[in-house]
Amino acid sequence: MSIVDRWLLPDGVEDILPSQAKRLEEVRRRLLDLFSTWGYDYVIPPMIEYLESLLTGTGRDLDLKTFKVVDFLTGRTMGVRADITPQVARIDAHSLNSDGVARLCYAGTVVQAQADSMLANRTPLSVGAELFGDSTSKADTEIVSLMIESLKSLGFDAVHVDLGNVDIFRQLMSGFALDADQQDLLFEAVQRKSVAEISAHCKAFALPDSGSLLLTELPGLTGNDSVLERARSLFKEHEGILASIDNLQQVSDTIAGRFTDLDVYFDLSELRGYAYHTGIVFAAYVNGSRSVVAKGGRYDHIGQVFGREARGATGFSIDVRSLTEKVKLPEESRKSVWVPEVPTGEEDSLWQQIKQLRTEGYIVVESGQPDGFSHHLEFQNGQWQLVSGDK
């Protein structure tokens, strides 16, 4: 094995060096403190657990991202978490199992076998919040508002939010007698917004003209809030879909009133996390980043496998590592002190002085020969003196 092989890290895996680690930790603390003021309790799920729990209700995408290992104690397959949300849902449904609304938040590293893109990191730090026990638009509004407020607390003024609702496509598909493969083909075509493919599939599957029209129109329902009026006209015979559109309208109106500089974009064919989400889905962008910095949505069904029936759930997560370099936080300047010499017999008095300085917020270093320190300690006239500048 060469020297290079000993220090080379896998693709998509990086060290977090001091300057970045400091900012990353500051962002993590700021977000968790914000979540606390909104009533969210902090939980710390394990890094690894049985695969069945990690992948419950999440679909194939998360399965492909999850590293799998064998538990030597039981012989069962375990997974290293690639997403924390299923773990928090398990905590709500089983470990806590409380009645009423539960608000939980988390911050932790996830490990992904496959990154989201060639340039993406495979060990992101995920910070998020989940709200359980409320299926109303008020809960959706709260969680979207918290996501936006989280980004603004990090200094991002211009936030762009995409809103969609996967239940529109779900309800359309429920009206057709299609097998799983046919549904997958239509799903992929809608995801690509390929009207030609959608039309060809509708013809091949002998779907009624009315249903084919709705599916081919769906990818074009993107833009500002005028999209919702067009959608209401298009789906006027579908009461359930109209309710989903009203939900989007209520969330959009409220967040637009709370954040006057917000840019909201609707995409009613957005099916991100389709196997996982059951209703509204949303994503946030900020200036200086082309990729999604925060995302989430409603996933009401997930608690059922843990024994919680009819348990509403919605939440979001932020990839903090992707944001660290773009965060606009005030730089913290702390004074530093070096102790160059210790007279014999003054070790105890020095220690007391060092403790006092650290209590006051100074950085104090006792060993080595560092440079760049703002102060140093000198023992003069029977007492320790704090002197400006290096010695």
Side-chain angles (χ1 to χ4, degrees), residues 295-362:
K295 60 184 178 181
R298 178 162 289 282
Y299 54 102
D300 287 346
H301 67 280
I302 194 169
Q304 295 177 359
V305 297
F306 299 116
R308 295 299 298 270
E309 296 295 331
R311 184 71 167 164
T314 183
F316 74 92
S317 63
I318 299 176
D319 178 1
V320 172
R321 287 193 66 172
S322 69
L323 278 179
T324 302
E325 297 303 321
K326 306 176 185 68
V327 169
K328 303 171 185 177
L329 297 178
E331 293 291 335
E332 181 187 25
S333 178
R334 295 179 62 187
K335 296 179 180 180
S336 53
V337 180
W338 177 41
V339 184
E341 298 176 0
V342 185
T344 302
E346 294 300 330
E347 290 82 3
D348 185 61
S349 65
L350 172 62
W351 176 240
Q352 298 304 319
Q353 182 66 33
I354 288 174
K355 289 199 299 181
Q356 179 61 35
L357 288 172
R358 286 172 175 163
T359 300
E360 295 172 4
Y362 286 89

Side-chain angles (χ1 to χ4, degrees), residues 75-226:
R76 293 176 61 183
T77 303
M78 302 179 73
V80 181
R81 67 184 184 199
D83 185 10
I84 300 179
T85 300
Q87 296 183 292
V88 180
R90 173 184 54 74
I91 290 173
D92 168 70
H94 178 70
S95 301
L96 294 178
N97 194 23
S98 59
D99 296 329
V101 173
R103 292 175 171 85
L104 302 176
C105 63
Y106 59 85
T109 299
V110 298
V111 182
Q112 299 177 343
Q114 294 183 359
D116 292 330
S117 67
M118 291 183 63
L119 300 178
N121 193 283
R122 290 200 293 163
T123 57
L125 173 61
S126 182
V127 178
E130 313 292 336
L131 194 161
F132 302 97
D134 190 340
S135 298
T136 68
S137 62
K138 287 187 66 176
D140 293 327
T141 300
E142 176 179 324
I143 210 73
V144 175
S145 297
L146 179 54
M147 178 187 72
I148 298 168
E149 189 67 21
S150 297
L151 296 174
K152 287 188 169 294
S153 74
L154 300 177
F156 296 107
D157 296 324
V159 178
H160 175 102
V161 175
D162 285 0
L163 291 176
N165 195 314
V166 299
D167 196 44
I168 295 174
F169 181 75
R170 285 185 184 279
Q171 292 191 55
L172 282 178
M173 297 303 290
S174 67
F176 307 132
L178 299 176
D179 60 33
D181 291 338
Q182 291 172 328
Q183 291 187 40
D184 287 344
L185 288 172
L186 275 173
F187 166 78
E188 292 168 2
V190 172
Q191 274 284 78
R192 289 193 292 269
K193 301 187 186 301
S194 174
V195 174
E197 280 187 69
I198 296 171
S199 181
H201 290 321
C202 289
K203 184 176 181 180
F205 303 154
L207 297 184
D209 291 343
S210 59
S212 299
L213 173 64
L214 295 178
L215 282 171
T216 53
E217 289 286 336
L218 192 58
L221 294 175
T222 60
N224 59 27
D225 56 4
S226 64

Side-chain angles (χ1 to χ4, degrees), residues 10 39 60 71 118 155 160 176 189 229 258 262 296 300 314-315 330 365:
R60 184 169 179 269
D71 181 8
M118 291 183 63
H160 175 102
F176 307 132
E229 287 307 313
R258 291 176 174 179
L262 191 65
D300 287 346
T314 183
V365 173

Side-chain angles (χ1 to χ4, degrees), residues 53-91:
S53 295
L54 284 178
L55 301 184
T56 294
T58 59
R60 184 169 179 269
D61 290 344
L62 192 59
D63 186 12
L64 296 175
K65 286 186 174 183
T66 302
F67 280 102
K68 302 170 181 69
V69 297
V70 175
D71 181 8
F72 289 164
L73 295 179
T74 64
R76 293 176 61 183
T77 303
M78 302 179 73
V80 181
R81 67 184 184 199
D83 185 10
I84 300 179
T85 300
Q87 296 183 292
V88 180
R90 173 184 54 74
I91 290 173

